[in-house]
Amino acid sequence: MSDFSPRLAMITVLEKYRHVFAMGLQNALVYRWNFLVRVLFSLLHLAAVTVLWGAAYAGKETIGGFFFEETMGYFLLLVLATYLIGAFNEDYQIGEEIRGGTINQFLTKPIDYYVYRMTLFFASRAVSGVIVLAPLVLLLPLLGNFLPTDVEAWRWVAAVPAFLLAAMIQFSIAYCFGLLAFWFLEIQGFVILSYAIETLLSGQIFPLDLMPPVIYRISQWLPFYYQAYFPVGVVTGRIETFAEVQQGLAIQLGWTLLFVIGARLLWRAGLRRHTAVGG
């Protein structure tokens, strides 16, 4: 009986969040056309990037030791990664639930708000990931030369935790910014500032290894490096050695745990303020 009760409790918890995941899928499917429009704009952005890097490579065989096709492969996988692991509106949604008072329902129910929001996040990314794959498959005859080839098996294995931890970092950062609504009426300024820094330092504008060596080494200790550049770099070979990948995964795990703990502490602090203000 003592072994049965914890097992039953675990099954109950899994079933509860399975329903949350299903609900997240349904909600995401309602906005599937929004995702599709966003994907099309991303493909236009990819086309613009192709033109710009084509001009940069004019008269040059390699930049930073990488051929044009390899650099474009990096940006192609970056677009795919954005829809598989990127946090889109989670911060605003959390902020709206706090300002609108709907957050109160989670204070009286046996549900972990962080896990609840993360489950919805992964459900939404499952839908957006499928949606972005459709046009990429159709464009495969044009984009096939950009896809990385001869990728070692160990890179695919390492990419699984790298992308998963990157998703958790991105979600946890968005979650923390959303919780700022406990203290501020408007969080848009914080979110925009975070997005600008993330876009620059996560390798979404240019591969980070093209920066001066000193700045690049500093970036390797910042969380933004592990939000996009690192997992994509593992697959494309920009993270060259197995030892570098191991070290990167260790640092990425450290940042993930730090943000998860920070999210928990911020939630508790926010609830104390919420209870005090609400009586």
Side-chain angles (χ1 to χ4, degrees):
M1 181 66 68
S2 59
D3 293 334
F4 179 75
S5 296
R7 188 182 308 171
L8 181 61
M10 178 61 69
I11 293 175
T12 302
V13 170
L14 292 176
E15 184 67 15
K16 174 169 55 179
Y17 290 108
R18 185 187 70 80
H19 284 295
V20 174
F21 187 83
M23 180 181 67
L25 288 177
Q26 294 174 0
N27 292 339
L29 287 172
V30 170
Y31 299 102
R32 60 189 180 277
W33 294 110
N34 292 353
F35 284 126
L36 183 58
V37 170
R38 186 176 293 176
V39 168
L40 294 177
F41 274 108
S42 295
L43 293 178
L44 290 175
H45 173 74
L46 182 63
V49 168
T50 304
V51 173
L52 291 175
W53 280 96
Y57 270 92
K60 300 178 182 178
E61 188 174 357
T62 64
I63 294 180
F66 293 91
F67 294 99
F68 173 72
E69 291 78 11
E70 293 175 311
T71 297
M72 292 312 305
Y74 166 84
F75 282 106
L76 178 59
L77 288 181
L78 192 64
V79 170
L80 180 59
T82 298
Y83 290 91
L84 287 174
I85 64 175
F88 293 144
N89 300 313
E90 279 71 18
D91 36 29
Y92 289 114
Q93 292 172 3
I94 293 170
E96 284 300 317
E97 288 186 347
I98 293 173
R99 284 192 295 269
T102 55
I103 195 77
N104 295 333
Q105 63 181 309
F106 298 99
L107 307 182
T108 57
K109 294 180 179 179
I111 190 169
D112 187 302
Y113 187 66
Y114 178 87
V115 178
Y116 167 79
R117 292 299 322 185
M118 185 170 62
T119 304
L120 293 179
F121 165 77
F122 279 112
S124 180
R125 294 298 78 78
V127 173
S128 62
V130 171
I131 290 176
V132 75
L133 280 175
L136 289 180
V137 170
L138 293 176
L139 294 174
L140 196 58
L142 298 176
L143 303 175
N145 292 335
F146 296 157
L147 295 176
T149 58
D150 300 326
V151 179
E152 299 97 327
W154 67 265
R155 289 189 178 275
W156 291 116
V157 174
V160 174
F163 276 101
L164 178 60
L165 292 174
M168 292 191 66
I169 289 176
Q170 295 214 35
F171 166 75
S172 296
I173 291 177
Y175 179 86
C176 289
F177 275 104
L179 293 185
L180 292 180
F182 279 124
W183 291 272
F184 302 95
L185 291 177
E186 183 56 63
I187 63 172
Q188 185 176 6
F190 297 105
V191 174
I192 292 176
L193 177 61
S194 172
Y195 178 75
I197 296 174
E198 174 190 329
T199 300
L200 177 63
L201 297 181
S202 66
Q204 297 184 41
I205 297 180
F206 53 83
L208 296 181
D209 49 42
L210 297 184
M211 296 190 301
V214 173
I215 299 178
Y216 176 65
R217 285 195 292 271
I218 293 175
S219 73
Q220 290 177 298
W221 294 97
L222 300 177
F224 312 104
Y225 178 91
Y226 299 95
Q227 290 182 257
Y229 176 82
F230 177 73
V232 173
V234 169
V235 177
T236 58
R238 301 188 87 96
I239 313 296
E240 296 181 358
T241 67
F242 183 67
E244 289 178 309
V245 172
Q246 283 183 307
Q247 178 183 355
L249 285 173
I251 298 174
Q252 190 182 36
L253 177 60
W255 276 114
T256 301
L257 294 175
L258 185 63
F259 278 117
V260 170
I261 294 172
R264 296 290 188 180
L265 295 177
L266 200 61
W267 169 256
R268 293 179 183 177
L271 285 186
R272 286 196 294 269
R273 174 178 175 79
H274 182 70
T275 304
V277 172

